[in-house]
Amino acid sequence: YVTQYYLNLTTSPPSVTTPSGIGWYDSGTNAPIFAPEFISIVSGESRYRFDGWTTGDMSEIADPSAFNTTVLVDKAKTVIAHYVTQYFVTFNHTGLDSTASNTVVTVNGSPKTYGDLPYSFWVDSGTVVTYAYNSIVPSSVSGKRFSLIDVSGPGSPITVTSAVTVTGNYGIQYYLT
């Protein structure tokens, strides 16, 4: 006979997914465990992001931060796959055209030009995102520029707790001599 132990895998928050690797293993086996890196909640708006494994003795997990790793089965145990909620954040514009030059919006200290927009990314729930739209965006056409009329969406800084779209609305101005 060979001694076997049962490996149970669960998630936090509960019922996010069913990790693979659950079952009986011979004592001393390094059992492969896997949990999806991302799980869609609402397509294009929210998802879960894998954030690591935990168990009673963390040294038993080969790489606790990897979604695909192994765990030493030397007794019956439960390993938990932890997830955090993420939301999709988008910065966009109206009223600009391909002649817009230089920075349109600065997001978390990173300047974004017309060609970068729309600019979208995933952030963990509770993350603070800062932004500033430029009041004037120059044009590559002489005597033309774009003036910020208003910004639709939440003001800066944003504590992200849902999917967010922020739009800088611009109007065209011409130089009169």
Side-chain angles (χ1 to χ4, degrees):
Y1 289 94
V2 174
T3 302
Q4 290 188 325
Y5 295 106
Y6 190 75
L7 175 63
N8 186 35
L9 301 174
T10 187
T11 61
S12 176
S15 303
V16 168
T17 188
T18 303
S20 63
I22 296 171
W24 291 95
Y25 292 90
D26 293 348
S27 180
T29 299
N30 283 308
I33 57 177
F34 170 82
E37 185 176 12
F38 300 106
I39 301 167
S40 180
I41 300 170
V42 176
S43 182
E45 291 185 21
S46 58
R47 69 182 184 183
Y48 290 113
R49 176 185 59 79
F50 177 79
D51 198 39
W53 299 97
T54 59
T55 190
D57 182 354
M58 292 301 291
S59 68
E60 297 172 338
I61 301 175
D63 184 353
S65 63
F67 59 92
N68 190 9
T69 188
T70 62
V71 60
L72 175 64
V73 182
D74 57 352
K75 61 186 173 206
K77 63 180 65 174
T78 297
V79 179
I80 303 168
H82 295 274
Y83 283 86
V84 295
T85 304
Q86 289 190 316
Y87 295 104
F88 203 57
V89 176
T90 300
F91 289 87
N92 210 344
H93 71 86
T94 63
L96 298 176
D97 62 31
S98 61
T99 67
S101 58
N102 296 342
T103 300
V104 174
V105 61
T106 301
V107 180
N108 288 337
S110 177
K112 303 300 171 194
T113 63
Y114 173 83
D116 298 324
L117 301 176
Y119 173 64
S120 301
F121 55 100
W122 290 98
V123 298
D124 293 351
S125 181
T127 298
V128 175
V129 175
T130 60
Y131 73 88
Y133 278 89
N134 284 358
S135 58
I136 299 295
V137 175
S139 171
S140 59
V141 173
S142 179
K144 176 181 176 182
R145 70 181 190 176
F146 304 92
S147 177
L148 183 64
I149 299 167
D150 62 17
V151 176
S152 57
S156 182
I158 306 165
T159 301
V160 179
T161 58
S162 64
V164 176
T165 298
V166 181
T167 304
N169 302 298
Y170 286 86
I172 299 173
Q173 291 183 330
Y174 295 100
Y175 186 75
L176 179 63
T177 56

